[in-house]
Amino acid sequence: MSSAVVEVRHLTKRFGEFTAVDGISFDIRRGEILGLLGPNGAGKTTTLQMMLGLVTPTSGSIHMFGLDLQRHRGAILQQVNFSSTYMSMPYALTVEENLSIIGRLYGLSDIPRRIDDMVKKLEMAEWRHTLTRKLSSGQMTRLTLAKALLTEPKILFLDEPTASLDPDIANKIRTILLEERRASGLSILYTSHNMREMETMSDRIIFLQRGKIVAEGTAQDIVARFGQEDLEDVFLKLAREQ
Amino acid sequence: MTYHRIAALVVRHLYLYRRSLPRMMEIIYWPFLDLVVWGFITVYLATFQGQMPAVVTFLLGALILWDVLFRSQQGIAISFLEEIWARNLMNLFASPLTPNEFLAATMVMSLFKVTAVSIVMSLCAWVFYGYNVFMIGLWLMPFIVNLVLTGWIIGVLTTSLIMRFGQEAEVLAWSMVFLFQPISCVFYPLEVLPTWLKGVAWINPAAHVFEGMRGLLATHAAPLASLGWAAGLNLFYLGLVIAWFHHTFNVCKDRGSLVRVGE
């Protein structure tokens, strides 16, 4: 672990009277996997969308690689990517065409080789020429993950990346992510409702409730602080309070 | 602006057209039907050639040029709708793609559509009615360029409205352009409009193009004044709607509605 590649300071987002994110600050270091936990409506998605430049913060700042996201959006997003179980890719294109478009969009070199590597890594060979509309939800999740990894990002935002996968593929995905982190120093912001997964994947966890950070530390620190048996019990306690 | 990002979006849309019959129909079938209907009308009206000289030239020429404007507008608005339908806006705007690059890509798609539709219509007019649109001569090019620009203006305006108001505004992609048709004086001269509407038509660049075309065909006089007005108004409005698109884009980002457009 070394210096912070993401620095979020006093980040706030209000939609009218409603405060979705309330003055949160955190860092992500190079090669770190930071878990973002919280019940529905805690502000996780809004935080992710602000970090992707899709939602403008009301106040506060987001710096990545030492650059301000507001001012250096293009340079930052070139090195960032994301994947979510809830996102989609154009249905009328094949898997390979979709990946090829992403490669062009990010100005990658040697796109066919990169696609071949990704198809092999995520075991997509059987359906690489299939129209995206014909994919199962698990295959779609793998495609969005392939899309995110294809660009070889330095920071990756993952929103429940294994939610619709069977345990075998989910395990392979976690192994791939850990291997990417080890090989390239990839930093990951990770959300999941699978507490066991959060415990095994995350170096640190931030717990959001009503837009505020209510706990921060390793899974063990947080469990100990709330005097619970495990992370799931902490989650249930906080979710029921909300 | 970065070329490869614009090219990526254009290729993405060309992939769609390659294997979609309904999308190809939009380029071939509908323009062809338009031409058949108006072609028969002009054939009928041509029997009164004595009373209405050059009616065939006026009507078919006007129809082909109107389609240039219509398809140019659709090239922009439908390209944006395709991204909404594919729920692809998040993928695009969380990438380094800028709003200007996005607009540039839709404009390239618009040129692609205009070119394809113009070829289809010109060929059909020539084969079925012996009408040669190129009889307008070299002035055809500045007419077309101005109509493409007007189409872009209406297209960007439509796109901004859909982005701002979401799914409910999608119908504007097809209907918006027809709001401008009566004041574009496509099939009749500006002088037939009531006085109050003449003023409105006068600030519509398309009206100057169609007035110029009629003037050229009737008197063979160079339509410099009409083209000057059309170009000036087009550049002014284009700057205005692009600024408005950026404003709307920022409003949507502020409200968090950009990634929820169409839901």
Side-chain angles (χ1 to χ4, degrees):
Chain A
M1 307 281 174
S2 58
S3 59
V5 288
V6 177
E7 293 166 282
V8 173
R9 294 290 176 270
H10 313 295
L11 191 65
T12 299
K13 183 63 194 177
R14 290 192 199 94
F15 297 108
E17 297 294 301
F18 175 68
T19 304
V21 176
D22 194 358
I24 64 172
S25 299
F26 62 88
D27 292 344
I28 307 176
R29 293 184 281 273
R30 184 171 183 276
E32 183 180 34
I33 299 179
L34 179 69
L36 192 58
L37 258 182
N40 293 337
K44 303 189 297 291
T45 303
T46 306
T47 302
L48 278 177
Q49 288 178 347
M50 284 193 281
M51 295 178 80
L52 286 167
L54 296 166
V55 171
T56 309
T58 305
S59 62
S61 67
I62 300 167
H63 283 75
M64 294 188 213
F65 318 109
L67 301 171
D68 183 354
L69 179 62
Q70 299 273 43
R71 286 191 218 152
H72 303 276
R73 178 188 166 278
I76 289 172
L77 292 180
Q78 184 68 38
Q79 303 177 74
V80 172
N81 216 315
F82 74 102
S83 170
S84 166
T85 300
Y86 309 107
M87 64 180 274
S88 182
M89 301 283 286
Y91 281 158
L93 271 59
T94 67
V95 167
E96 183 167 302
E97 286 168 352
N98 265 317
L99 292 176
S100 165
I101 297 300
I102 293 295
R104 287 166 187 261
L105 197 57
Y106 284 78
L108 305 181
S109 59
D110 203 2
I111 296 170
R113 196 235 349 125
R114 286 173 192 253
I115 293 176
D116 285 345
D117 288 350
M118 206 46 64
V119 161
K120 196 173 163 191
K121 198 179 274 185
L122 291 171
E123 299 179 18
M124 299 159 63
E126 272 181 42
W127 36 277
R128 75 183 285 174
H129 300 296
T130 303
L131 282 178
T132 304
R133 75 162 65 92
K134 294 181 178 169
L135 300 185
S136 67
S137 59
Q139 287 170 331
M140 178 64 94
T141 302
R142 268 190 280 171
L143 171 60
T144 63
L145 197 60
K147 163 252 172 200
L149 291 173
L150 185 78
T151 62
E152 295 179 1
K154 293 195 171 77
I155 302 171
L156 188 56
F157 298 124
L158 298 174
D159 188 12
E160 301 197 42
T162 59
S164 56
L165 301 176
D166 67 53
D168 177 44
I169 294 290
N171 184 261
K172 282 178 181 161
I173 297 293
R174 285 191 288 269
T175 307
I176 289 167
L177 291 172
L178 292 171
E179 172 55 26
E180 287 288 329
R181 183 260 284 267
R182 191 195 60 75
S184 65
L186 175 67
S187 306
I188 301 175
L189 183 66
Y190 201 98
T191 81
S192 174
H193 283 130
N194 179 338
M195 297 301 128
R196 203 176 136 84
E197 182 172 272
M198 284 302 255
E199 283 181 24
T200 54
M201 288 294 287
S202 308
D203 299 310
R204 269 188 315 132
I205 289 171
I206 285 175
F207 220 115
L208 281 181
Q209 189 186 31
R210 294 195 194 99
K212 289 181 191 244
I213 295 177
V214 291
E216 185 174 357
T218 64
Q220 293 83 351
D221 288 344
I222 292 175
V223 169
R225 186 183 148 190
F226 284 87
Q228 301 292 320
E229 287 282 304
D230 54 25
L231 207 53
E232 185 149 350
D233 287 341
V234 177
F235 185 93
L236 289 173
K237 177 180 160 63
L238 288 173
R240 282 166 190 167
E241 279 177 17
Q242 177 157 331
Chain B
M1 285 227 255
T2 310
Y3 165 75
H4 66 77
R5 293 200 281 263
I6 297 169
L9 274 194
V10 172
V11 172
R12 174 252 190 283
H13 285 284
L14 291 180
Y15 276 145
L16 283 179
Y17 279 87
R18 198 176 59 174
R19 65 167 67 92
S20 169
L21 186 65
R23 288 180 180 94
M24 287 309 289
M25 279 172 71
E26 199 190 318
I27 289 176
I28 298 170
Y29 179 70
W30 295 118
F32 173 72
L33 268 194
D34 252 358
L35 196 84
V36 167
V37 171
W38 280 93
F40 283 131
I41 292 172
T42 50
V43 165
Y44 171 65
L45 290 176
T47 59
F48 305 100
Q49 192 80 332
Q51 293 105 303
M52 290 182 278
V55 68
V56 177
T57 320
F58 281 154
L59 283 185
L60 282 184
L63 177 70
I64 292 172
L65 288 182
W66 170 252
D67 242 66
V68 166
L69 191 158
F70 180 48
R71 302 296 160 183
S72 164
Q73 178 265 344
Q74 286 224 311
I76 303 235
I78 302 288
S79 298
F80 182 68
L81 280 182
E82 295 277 10
E83 304 300 358
I84 291 179
W85 295 330
R87 293 168 63 207
N88 198 35
L89 286 177
M90 189 170 177
N91 290 322
L92 295 182
F93 290 119
S95 81
L97 183 81
T98 65
N100 276 338
E101 288 163 351
F102 177 81
L103 278 184
T106 62
M107 286 169 182
V108 173
M109 276 312 294
S110 152
L111 286 179
F112 163 75
K113 266 193 179 175
V114 166
T115 308
V117 168
S118 299
I119 290 171
V120 169
M121 292 189 87
S122 304
L123 269 177
C124 292
W126 182 58
V127 170
F128 295 110
Y129 305 106
Y131 175 76
N132 179 9
V133 69
F134 298 103
M135 68 187 288
I136 296 172
L138 285 177
W139 291 110
L140 187 63
M141 276 320 288
F143 285 148
I144 287 177
V145 169
N146 271 294
L147 289 173
V148 166
L149 288 177
T150 309
W152 286 357
I153 290 162
I154 303 172
V156 176
L157 179 70
T158 311
T159 300
S160 304
L161 289 170
I162 295 171
M163 186 159 59
R164 174 68 186 80
F165 297 105
Q167 205 167 26
E168 288 171 11
E170 282 185 13
V171 69
L172 292 176
W174 291 273
S175 58
M176 183 70 134
V177 72
F178 292 104
L179 224 134
F180 290 83
Q181 196 179 35
I183 53 164
S184 292
C185 305
V186 184
F187 301 109
Y188 45 79
L190 190 133
E191 67 197 36
V192 306
L193 295 179
T195 311
W196 67 272
L197 204 54
K198 274 184 196 162
V200 181
W202 189 253
I203 56 169
N204 174 12
H208 292 280
V209 172
F210 288 106
E211 280 292 291
M213 185 200 73
R214 274 186 293 272
L216 177 70
L217 290 172
T219 66
H220 301 286
L224 287 175
S226 299
L227 283 172
W229 273 106
L233 287 169
N234 269 328
L235 292 177
F236 173 69
Y237 291 138
L238 193 61
L240 215 61
V241 291
I242 288 176
W244 197 57
F245 176 85
H246 279 272
H247 170 72
T248 308
F249 186 82
N250 289 331
V251 167
C252 289
K253 273 175 65 172
D254 189 49
R255 296 182 178 188
S257 60
L258 184 64
V259 292
R260 295 199 309 268
V261 179
E263 287 179 5

